[in-house]
Amino acid sequence: MILSENNHKHIPAPTSLLLDTTPSPTVNKTFVCIKEVLDDNFMKTSPVTLAIGKDAYRRPIHYNLAKDGHLLIAGKTGSGKSICLHSMLMSILCKSSPDEVRLILVDTKYVEFSCYNHIPHLLMPVITDSDLAISALGWLLKEAKERCRLFATYDVHDIDEYNNLAKSKTDMPKMPSIVIMIDEFIDMFWSHKEKAETAISRLAVIGKVAGIFMVMATQQPPLSLMHRFVGFSFPSRIAFALPSSCESRAVIDCEGAKDLRTPGAMLYQPSSSPNPIKVQGAFVSYSEIDKVTTYLAMQ
């Protein structure tokens, strides 16, 4: 089934529920509140633009999935990886309606994404089982192929051209982008190695054109997996603190991630840059997440 507009009523952006916090003198001066990154210019960007944080010059750093493609995130426990995922989700929820972006969330650890279970953006309840995660990837691959066939019918090249054409045709429903976010995607490879690798590799090729994007995170990236196909599938990557130089090189092609000490500090390697950029990730508290998800669930 090709997803189309579901006539959701417009949901006002819940940005006001995110605290515009100014850190006290006891807080590290590198602290970045998420609302500092969700500025007016950001709110006008693509529905799938993600808030990352601020660089050393305190300039906001954003990542546009529609332009730059799928994203890989790696970082050991306590490095800030989970908060980064929440910040990205908040940046979508604060500016994009369910008609613009639908979400599939996979959380085999059961603890990170359960708070999103009742938001209208979800295509299905939060997935906590590896078998269901593989099924979701297979469904997304089928959806991507059907969308590409539909694009050929209308003689358009990608989802943006399709939606632009749909504005002038009443019988052509708008097509939402889909973002699948997987926390600890390596769990799928332990039990479904071939299926997971095939689905991710195929989605990496046709997903961007079809408006289907992957954001995948892991604590300790297996070196063999990184070298074999991750570099091709994920042209842009984020590395938080990692245990060793080998893992750092596997993720961002340099050793710097092992020297990161501050929680939330990352090396951001976009596909458009030859060198990684040091960024302090945007922070969002669990109380803020609860306010936003409760607000959305009530709409």
Side-chain angles (χ1 to χ4, degrees), residues 18 20 26 51 69 73 95 103-104 124 141 145 159 191 195 208 216 225 238 247 262-263 270-271 283 292-293 298:
L18 299 174
D20 194 3
T26 59
I73 304 171
K95 66 176 169 53
L103 298 170
I104 296 177
M124 58 191 72
L141 185 56
K145 291 177 180 177
I159 188 172
S191 54
K195 289 183 178 179
K208 182 179 176 182
M216 299 200 175
L225 185 64
I238 290 174
E247 289 174 324
T262 307
S271 58
F283 176 80
V292 172
T293 54
M298 292 172 60

Side-chain angles (χ1 to χ4, degrees), residues 131-191:
D131 292 340
L132 292 178
I134 290 295
S135 296
L137 283 172
W139 179 85
L140 281 175
L141 185 56
K142 180 181 178 182
E143 175 75 10
K145 291 177 180 177
E146 290 184 4
R147 287 185 172 196
C148 289
R149 284 193 285 267
L150 184 63
F151 296 162
T153 301
Y154 284 101
D155 195 25
V156 297
H157 297 92
D158 56 28
I159 188 172
D160 291 331
E161 288 190 15
Y162 174 90
N163 283 332
N164 287 333
L165 183 62
K167 293 177 183 178
S168 60
K169 293 181 178 291
T170 56
D171 61 338
M172 225 176 132
K174 182 179 178 182
M175 184 180 291
S177 298
I178 303 175
V179 177
I180 179 170
M181 184 175 289
I182 303 180
D183 190 14
E184 204 49 68
F185 76 93
I186 296 303
D187 286 350
M188 295 187 302
F189 283 84
W190 301 144
S191 54

Side-chain angles (χ1 to χ4, degrees), residues 221-251:
L223 301 185
S224 59
L225 185 64
M226 295 293 112
H227 292 308
R228 187 167 66 255
F229 90 104
V230 164
F232 168 76
S233 301
F234 299 91
S236 297
R237 305 162 213 168
I238 290 174
F240 289 89
L242 289 168
S244 70
S245 299
C246 292
E247 289 174 324
S248 180
R249 284 195 298 270
V251 176

Side-chain angles (χ1 to χ4, degrees), residues 1 4 8 61 64 69 97 111 145 157 170 188 214 232 245 257 271 288:
M1 179 184 70
S4 60
H8 292 282
I61 301 296
N64 187 348
S97 73
V111 295
K145 291 177 180 177
H157 297 92
T170 56
M188 295 187 302
M214 298 180 288
F232 168 76
S245 299
S271 58
E288 292 173 311

Side-chain angles (χ1 to χ4, degrees), residues 206-218:
I206 64 175
K208 182 179 176 182
V209 171
I212 298 174
F213 308 101
M214 298 180 288
V215 178
M216 299 200 175
T218 184

Side-chain angles (χ1 to χ4, degrees), residues 32-267:
V32 175
C33 175
I34 188 172
K35 199 165 183 180
E36 298 177 50
V37 190
L38 303 185
D39 56 20
D40 291 340
N41 291 330
F42 172 78
M43 299 300 283
K44 299 173 185 176
T45 60
S46 162
V48 290
T49 298
L50 309 176
I52 303 295
K54 288 190 173 183
D55 65 11
Y57 300 98
R58 306 296 289 180
R59 295 175 300 197
I61 301 296
H62 306 135
Y63 186 81
N64 187 348
L65 286 168
K67 176 183 176 183
D68 300 313
H70 316 289
L71 181 64
L72 173 73
I73 304 171
K76 63 184 181 181
T77 302
S79 63
K81 172 176 58 66
S82 295
I83 293 296
C84 178
L85 294 176
H86 286 301
S87 295
M88 291 177 176
L89 285 170
M90 286 295 103
S91 63
I92 290 176
L93 298 179
C94 283
K95 66 176 169 53
S96 305
S97 73
D99 291 334
E100 296 173 310
V101 181
R102 305 303 296 273
L103 298 170
I104 296 177
L105 304 180
V106 179
D107 176 20
T108 55
K109 296 185 295 185
Y110 292 86
V111 295
E112 288 301 337
F113 293 154
S114 59
C115 56
Y116 298 100
N117 248 325
H118 302 293
I119 61 173
H121 298 69
L122 282 188
L123 274 172
M124 58 191 72
V126 173
I127 296 172
T128 56
D129 179 80
S130 295
D131 292 340
L132 292 178
I134 290 295
S135 296
L137 283 172
W139 179 85
L140 281 175
L141 185 56
K142 180 181 178 182
E143 175 75 10
K145 291 177 180 177
E146 290 184 4
R147 287 185 172 196
C148 289
R149 284 193 285 267
L150 184 63
F151 296 162
T153 301
Y154 284 101
D155 195 25
V156 297
H157 297 92
D158 56 28
I159 188 172
D160 291 331
E161 288 190 15
Y162 174 90
N163 283 332
N164 287 333
L165 183 62
K167 293 177 183 178
S168 60
K169 293 181 178 291
T170 56
D171 61 338
M172 225 176 132
K174 182 179 178 182
M175 184 180 291
S177 298
I178 303 175
V179 177
I180 179 170
M181 184 175 289
I182 303 180
D183 190 14
E184 204 49 68
F185 76 93
I186 296 303
D187 286 350
M188 295 187 302
F189 283 84
W190 301 144
S191 54
H192 303 282
K193 180 177 179 295
E194 291 186 5
K195 289 183 178 179
E197 189 167 335
T198 300
I200 292 173
S201 297
R202 290 292 297 138
L203 274 175
V205 175
I206 64 175
K208 182 179 176 182
V209 171
I212 298 174
F213 308 101
M214 298 180 288
V215 178
M216 299 200 175
T218 184
Q219 291 183 15
Q220 292 187 328
L223 301 185
S224 59
L225 185 64
M226 295 293 112
H227 292 308
R228 187 167 66 255
F229 90 104
V230 164
F232 168 76
S233 301
F234 299 91
S236 297
R237 305 162 213 168
I238 290 174
F240 289 89
L242 289 168
S244 70
S245 299
C246 292
E247 289 174 324
S248 180
R249 284 195 298 270
V251 176
I252 55 171
D253 301 322
C254 70
E255 300 182 1
K258 75 178 181 64
D259 299 320
L260 297 173
R261 298 286 182 267
T262 307
M266 68 177 80
L267 289 176

